[in-house]
Amino acid sequence: MSVILIADDEARIRRLVSDFLKRDGHTILEAGDGAEALEMIHQARPPVELAILDVMMPGLDGFALLRTLRAEEATRAVPVMMLTARAEDNDQLLGLESGADDYVTKPFSPMVLAARVRNLLGRTRKKMGESEMFGELEVNEIRREAKVSGEAIELTPKEYELLIYFKNNKGIALSREVVLNSVWGYDYFGDLRTVDTHVKKLRAKLGKCGSMIETVRGYGYRFEA
């Protein structure tokens, strides 16, 4: 599996995340601050394949460490997940604009975090032009193509974006509001029925694979393959 670095100044958080990720077979490295994490990433053999960074660390904080990783040729491509109690929009924007691949706020569900780690690793390992298979559903993001049982299906741009969003968050229960904001954007003035309408159309076009988009009653949807 993968070598994952967890950098957080709270030992209990490191242990909690570590215990859940080890269940998936990952090798875990732990650092209590940014400087220690940076040294571990430089020295790790085999190399670190994912870094989970807390923002509020003494000395070199998570944002500063992220910028350092993105500035160095050897670490530029390392996927980074920010893990922090700071949930303000500006902090999330700063992290994502600095090159973070995902952003999780405390308190968090360890099971959901482990699922997000699996999804993030799956996306970053994908080779150029390689298709992802989910049973009989085939998705190729480079070609912007989706197939069911080898037959291409015609999706509108928004239906395709919705499929990709579900696929990239496989196994995670997503509220209608989260889906609406993520796929349509925060400045969209439509209501939550927009999500339901597009999910219904997407399921119909996916045919027998449409059941992969499960309804979470009273909440939203979950993609299970």
Side-chain angles (χ1 to χ4, degrees), residues 67-156:
R67 288 192 293 269
T68 300
L69 294 176
R70 291 296 179 254
E72 297 181 359
E73 182 67 30
T75 59
R76 188 168 296 155
V78 175
V80 173
M81 176 182 291
M82 304 303 290
L83 179 63
T84 176
R86 297 173 66 176
E88 293 85 352
D89 288 343
N90 287 341
D91 289 329
Q92 295 192 42
L93 286 173
L94 178 59
L96 295 172
E97 289 174 355
S98 297
D101 298 278
D102 203 351
Y103 202 110
V104 178
T105 57
K106 304 173 186 176
F108 59 87
S109 162
M111 289 184 291
V112 170
L113 185 140
R116 295 180 79 101
V117 165
R118 289 194 294 271
N119 291 339
L120 180 54
L121 288 171
R123 296 201 304 270
T124 55
R125 285 172 177 167
K126 189 174 56 178
K127 295 179 181 178
M128 198 71 168
E130 181 179 332
S131 294
E132 293 178 87
M133 299 298 300
F134 306 93
E136 294 187 55
L137 173 62
E138 178 182 349
V139 181
N140 188 311
E141 288 195 52
I142 304 300
R143 295 173 57 86
R144 289 185 64 86
E145 187 176 65
K147 296 180 179 180
V148 173
S149 301
E151 294 292 327
I153 56 177
E154 294 295 329
L155 300 176
T156 66

Side-chain angles (χ1 to χ4, degrees), residues 19-219:
D19 287 346
F20 270 82
L21 295 183
K22 284 180 178 178
R23 296 179 185 181
D24 285 341
H26 300 300
T27 298
I28 306 300
L29 304 178
E30 296 185 27
D33 57 57
E36 182 183 11
L38 183 60
E39 183 177 359
M40 284 185 172
I41 292 173
H42 285 158
Q43 296 181 356
R45 297 294 182 274
V48 169
E49 296 178 60
L50 171 64
I52 301 176
L53 310 179
D54 180 38
V55 168
M56 301 297 290
M57 292 188 290
L60 189 68
D61 66 26
F63 287 146
L65 176 54
L66 173 60
R67 288 192 293 269
T68 300
L69 294 176
R70 291 296 179 254
E72 297 181 359
E73 182 67 30
T75 59
R76 188 168 296 155
V78 175
V80 173
M81 176 182 291
M82 304 303 290
L83 179 63
T84 176
R86 297 173 66 176
E88 293 85 352
D89 288 343
N90 287 341
D91 289 329
Q92 295 192 42
L93 286 173
L94 178 59
L96 295 172
E97 289 174 355
S98 297
D101 298 278
D102 203 351
Y103 202 110
V104 178
T105 57
K106 304 173 186 176
F108 59 87
S109 162
M111 289 184 291
V112 170
L113 185 140
R116 295 180 79 101
V117 165
R118 289 194 294 271
N119 291 339
L120 180 54
L121 288 171
R123 296 201 304 270
T124 55
R125 285 172 177 167
K126 189 174 56 178
K127 295 179 181 178
M128 198 71 168
E130 181 179 332
S131 294
E132 293 178 87
M133 299 298 300
F134 306 93
E136 294 187 55
L137 173 62
E138 178 182 349
V139 181
N140 188 311
E141 288 195 52
I142 304 300
R143 295 173 57 86
R144 289 185 64 86
E145 187 176 65
K147 296 180 179 180
V148 173
S149 301
E151 294 292 327
I153 56 177
E154 294 295 329
L155 300 176
T156 66
K158 197 57 67 178
E159 289 167 351
Y160 178 79
E161 291 177 31
L162 187 60
L163 174 61
I164 296 302
Y165 183 70
F166 281 137
K167 183 262 300 180
N168 287 345
N169 290 277
K170 182 177 64 174
I172 300 173
L174 303 164
S175 70
R176 289 175 173 82
E177 184 176 12
V178 166
V179 174
L180 186 70
N181 291 335
S182 298
V183 178
W184 278 265
Y186 284 92
D187 56 350
Y188 180 73
F189 291 103
D191 58 33
L192 299 181
R193 289 175 296 180
T194 298
V195 177
D196 295 330
T197 299
H198 280 75
V199 168
K200 182 178 180 179
K201 292 179 178 178
L202 177 59
R203 279 173 170 164
K205 290 186 177 181
L206 292 177
K208 55 188 173 183
C209 293
S211 60
M212 292 180 180
I213 304 174
E214 300 179 351
T215 297
V216 181
R217 187 175 298 275
Y219 187 72

